[in-house]
Amino acid sequence: MSGISLKKARIIIRKAMDAGNAAGMKPLSVVVLDAGGHVIAFERSDGAAPGRFAIAQGKAYGTVMLGMAGKAQMARAEAQAYFMAAVNGVYGGQVIPVPGGVLVRDKRGTVLGAVGVTGDTSDNDAAAALAGIEAAGLLGEA
């Protein structure tokens, strides 16, 4: 498998939003990025704030660029704030180091990209992302 296809990206988004709805989460926004950090697909639920794209993208972008899930990034930011500040400088302020950025791998462990979800608590965002990734037959690392 060479990457996340548009078909798989759409499955991830649909199933992440379904999981959010089923759990009673606030309106979600979901982005899927390829291994180079480029957007494959994005959707924002009805009622989600218009600025949510940048947050979802920032969660996913930091994840794929660092090869480190959102929870690990947050722990690193808490332990070494200067490092994450420097990383954010390198990437033009596009990194949001919190849960909700989930690394996507194939069954062999190859990184295919990342998913960013925003709209509810960061932990709930990550749970919705994982549900979408798993529904697409891929592996997520939150």
Side-chain angles (χ1 to χ4, degrees), residues 44-61:
R44 181 172 55 94
S45 295
D46 292 340
R52 290 293 180 169
F53 170 77
I55 297 169
Q57 191 270 346
K59 288 181 175 187
Y61 190 75

Side-chain angles (χ1 to χ4, degrees), residues 12-22 28-30 43-45 128:
I12 291 167
I13 290 170
R14 185 176 70 248
K15 295 301 184 178
M17 293 218 187
D18 288 350
N21 288 334
L28 299 179
S29 296
V30 183
E43 284 190 26
R44 181 172 55 94
S45 295

Side-chain angles (χ1 to χ4, degrees), residues 31 77 99 101 105:
V31 69
R105 297 180 185 271

Side-chain angles (χ1 to χ4, degrees), residues 38-142:
H38 303 97
V39 175
I40 299 170
F42 169 76
E43 284 190 26
R44 181 172 55 94
S45 295
D46 292 340
R52 290 293 180 169
F53 170 77
I55 297 169
Q57 191 270 346
K59 288 181 175 187
Y61 190 75
T63 296
V64 76
M65 289 291 108
L66 296 172
M68 181 186 302
K71 286 182 185 179
Q73 287 180 64
M74 187 169 76
R76 184 80 181 260
E78 289 169 348
Q80 296 179 310
Y82 63 88
F83 173 78
M84 288 308 291
V87 164
N88 223 349
V90 168
Y91 292 119
Q94 295 183 68
V95 175
I96 299 180
V98 296
V102 179
L103 208 53
V104 179
R105 297 180 185 271
D106 65 14
K107 291 183 179 10
R108 292 180 304 234
T110 303
V111 173
L112 303 176
V115 173
V117 176
T118 184
D120 206 272
T121 67
S122 292
D123 288 336
N124 284 345
D125 294 344
L130 286 169
I133 292 164
E134 290 169 9
L138 300 170
L139 304 174
E141 180 183 328

